[in-house]
Amino acid sequence: MHPRVEAAWKLVPKPVQDAIASTVDRAKGVTPPPPPLPDLSRPIRMLVGPVNYAGQGYRWSRAVESTGEVSAVNYVHAGNNLLQYPADYTVTWRTAEHSRAWQRSMLDAIATNYTHVLIEACFPILGGMFSGDLRRQTALLQERGVRVGIVGHGTDVRLPSTHLESTPWSLFVDSEDWVPFDLAEKAVADNLAAIADLDVPTFVSTAGLLVDLPRAHFLGVVIDQEQWINDEPLLERERIRVIHAPTNAHVKGTPLIVPVAQKLHDEGLIEFIQLDRVPNHEMPAVVASADVVLDQFRVGDYGVAACESMTAGRVVLAHVTEQARREVEGHAGMTLPIPETTPDTLEHMLRDIAVRRDHYRAIAATGREFVRRVHNGDFSRAQLMTHFLSA
């Protein structure tokens, strides 16, 4: 929901909101699903939700289950899972936000069956209970004996005013057509204040977010490497194939890089392909067919798409700040194999790749090992066990 629309909706009294949403659900034949249950034979039982951005709630759940001590279940609001990432439990936003019966049953299910809850992106785990008040929901769960943690995913904890200082290409430089700066600043500031007040174990999915949450633990994104490994040749075409698959064009910096890529495409140096909302299960074949993947150029960080492309053995270009590089390289014990590239240097980098192919093949060849060290689930499992589940 756009922040301005959301702000207007919040002016409607909560009972009226609930009545409207319930009427819509009934008209659509929606029946609230029963809450998800873990394997009660496991001593540690964790619920993760409710956003599953890039499938990470599901991947973190599978990572900790490999210990044999943990049963983990992730859930997601259907509207947050448009690219069809796997999830254990899906519920509509209207149900979570407006069904009092669902909220009560979810609370009872968590208090009775789970030992831990990992809240994603400061989204209320109990939907609209207490009008979505994260503090009150957390306190209620803690009163019922449940240990609560929080994981920041990205724009939920990336403070615009701080990010503007980190990179001249910040996604907040010209964000009014995407998310109005003042609304984003307030929303994130509120989230950071809530996290500070709650003082629970806190994680961030990517290293750049430690700028805003310096006391948090770097959790790292997780991918299933087997899905992405291939034996396709690299940089053997006369005209190298370059792809860009933005999930959000503004955040990825698409308008800043497409003119450059299109220029080189028209010149005949590269074959540039821009993709739009390709389902996740189709992406391994798409990435394997490329030579170069253009990731993101405004955030100053890297995430799931870059890890998938590195595992696929492709050359990945992105803008990653020195802070983020130092953090991940310290955990990996090796250089991040993403050559630093900005909108200003992209043309030079693509021309250099076309000329020095062996050099970039060597860089790409280290990608799979880098991902194995930090992003195959082992590192994330250790972080969760050490700082949350076994603490």
Side-chain angles (χ1 to χ4, degrees):
M1 186 181 292
H2 190 280
R4 293 199 188 281
V5 177
E6 183 177 6
W9 174 248
K10 286 181 177 178
L11 295 176
V12 178
K14 189 66 166 62
V16 177
Q17 290 181 0
D18 295 343
I20 293 172
S22 296
T23 300
V24 172
D25 273 353
R26 281 196 301 272
K28 293 188 173 185
V30 175
T31 301
L37 299 178
D39 179 353
L40 297 178
S41 70
R42 303 289 179 91
I44 301 172
R45 300 175 297 279
M46 178 175 71
L47 180 69
V48 182
V51 299
N52 199 40
Y53 290 148
Q56 289 309 291
Y58 181 86
R59 293 295 174 199
W60 291 322
S61 297
R62 301 293 79 76
V64 295
E65 283 191 325
S66 65
T67 63
E69 302 174 22
V70 182
S71 174
V73 176
N74 91 291
Y75 95 89
V76 61
H77 297 157
N80 285 327
N81 203 27
L82 297 179
L83 295 184
Q84 303 169 35
Y85 286 100
D88 296 318
Y89 175 83
T90 302
V91 65
T92 67
W93 172 82
R94 276 193 304 274
T95 293
E97 181 67 19
H98 299 291
S99 172
R100 302 287 182 90
W102 180 88
Q103 293 159 14
R104 288 192 297 268
S105 64
M106 186 61 121
L107 171 62
D108 290 341
I110 294 173
T112 303
N113 301 290
Y114 290 90
T115 59
H116 295 72
V117 165
L118 184 63
I119 298 173
E120 297 179 279
C122 291
F123 269 64
I125 198 77
L126 296 172
M129 183 178 286
F130 306 135
S131 297
D133 189 318
L134 184 66
R135 292 174 178 83
R136 291 183 67 186
Q137 290 190 14
T138 299
L140 182 59
L141 289 172
Q142 290 172 328
E143 289 169 7
R144 300 287 291 268
V146 179
R147 189 156 197 240
V148 177
I150 291 175
V151 56
H153 273 275
T155 52
D156 51 297
V157 293
R158 184 180 289 113
L159 192 66
S161 56
T162 301
H163 195 261
L164 284 170
E165 300 173 359
S166 69
T167 171
W169 301 280
S170 170
L171 62 160
F172 300 106
V173 168
D174 51 359
S175 67
E176 287 304 310
D177 290 336
W178 169 55
V179 177
F181 182 91
D182 56 339
L183 292 180
E185 180 81 2
K186 182 181 185 307
V188 176
D190 288 347
N191 285 345
L192 294 176
I195 291 171
D197 290 345
L198 292 174
D199 193 26
V200 298
T202 303
F203 302 86
V204 290
S205 61
T206 64
L209 298 175
L210 291 171
V211 170
D212 295 292
L213 287 170
R215 296 177 59 191
H217 305 287
F218 172 53
L219 183 54
V221 299
V222 176
I223 70 164
D224 179 358
Q225 286 196 282
E226 291 303 315
Q227 292 183 4
W228 298 89
I229 294 173
N230 65 82
D231 56 4
E232 292 295 318
L234 181 68
L235 297 173
E236 292 189 357
R237 303 176 183 86
E238 180 177 350
R239 187 179 184 183
I240 62 176
R241 181 174 294 165
V242 179
I243 67 171
H244 178 56
T247 50
N248 183 310
H250 179 84
V251 173
K252 293 284 188 175
T254 303
L256 302 181
I257 63 170
V258 166
V260 173
Q262 190 62 50
K263 170 188 172 183
L264 298 183
H265 174 91
D266 295 343
E267 183 182 309
L269 181 73
I270 70 172
E271 176 190 4
F272 175 60
I273 302 171
Q274 182 175 337
L275 305 165
D276 182 41
R277 293 195 177 276
V278 178
N280 183 251
H281 68 272
E282 296 180 12
M283 282 302 295
V286 173
V287 172
S289 72
D291 294 302
V292 179
V293 176
L294 305 182
D295 186 37
Q296 52 188 348
F297 296 85
R298 306 198 77 157
V299 176
D301 212 339
Y302 73 97
V304 170
C307 292
E308 293 167 342
S309 301
M310 284 189 282
T311 294
R314 305 302 99 182
V315 178
V316 182
L317 300 183
H319 167 44
V320 182
T321 66
E322 282 302 311
Q323 173 270 329
R325 288 180 183 273
R326 286 195 305 271
E327 179 70 25
V328 298
E329 289 172 356
H331 293 293
M334 62 182 289
T335 300
L336 173 65
I338 299 178
E340 172 61 13
T341 309
T342 71
D344 292 346
T345 63
L346 177 60
E347 179 175 353
H348 167 77
M349 290 298 299
L350 290 173
R351 292 189 184 280
D352 196 48
I353 291 170
V355 173
R356 296 199 298 153
R357 299 186 179 213
D358 285 343
H359 173 74
Y360 290 95
R361 286 191 190 102
I363 293 174
T366 67
R368 190 175 302 167
E369 175 61 18
F370 183 91
V371 175
R372 186 193 68 79
R373 294 187 184 193
V374 187
H375 300 293
N376 74 347
D378 293 347
F379 174 79
S380 301
R381 178 183 64 240
Q383 292 289 82
L384 285 169
M385 294 301 295
T386 300
H387 302 293
F388 184 41
L389 298 178
S390 295

